[in-house]
Amino acid sequence: MAEHAVIIHIPLSDDSFGTDDERAQLYELMDLIRAEVERQMVGEFDGNEFGGGECVLFAYGPDADALFAAIREVLVGWPLLPSGTTSVKRYGEADDPNAAEQRVSF
């Protein structure tokens, strides 16, 4: 079975790594996402990447839609979600040139 992904792009307040406060808040968000993904048993939260004015979150599982639904619950309920946050649902392996993608804005 192909591994799907949900990749969340969260804009930061500067063109670099964001403020200390932003990073602390985003680490709290990541803990919530990890807990929800595990609770619903839809995959795994695999970490983050800060830089270039954004924080990118990575999660993987067998069903991008189920994984996204779990993550979306947390994102929409989080009062600090900046405008411009987007998500990419990837249906297939990262190295599959035919893997379909769907972009969702928040």
Side-chain angles (χ1 to χ4, degrees):
M1 179 179 296
E3 181 175 68
H4 294 189
V6 173
I7 303 165
I8 310 291
H9 297 265
I10 302 172
L12 300 172
S13 62
D14 62 27
D15 291 336
S16 189
F17 299 98
T19 65
D20 290 341
D21 187 47
E22 276 179 308
R23 287 190 304 277
Q25 292 170 358
L26 287 168
Y27 280 112
E28 289 177 19
L29 174 64
M30 289 179 233
D31 288 341
L32 295 171
I33 289 172
R34 178 179 288 109
E36 191 61 21
V37 166
E38 289 175 3
R39 186 186 73 75
Q40 292 191 32
M41 297 184 293
V42 291
E44 70 174 313
F45 177 74
D46 192 43
N48 65 76
E49 184 177 286
F50 282 87
E54 71 176 355
C55 173
V56 183
L57 309 180
F58 302 92
Y60 301 95
D63 182 342
D65 291 320
L67 187 57
F68 176 75
I71 292 170
R72 184 181 185 286
E73 284 182 35
V74 176
L75 290 176
V76 240
W78 196 55
L80 304 172
L81 190 69
S83 65
T85 297
T86 60
S87 171
V88 175
K89 294 189 280 184
R90 188 189 69 228
Y91 301 93
E93 301 286 343
D95 60 353
D96 179 357
N98 297 315
E101 291 186 349
Q102 180 183 16
R103 183 169 299 276
V104 179
S105 296
F106 290 89

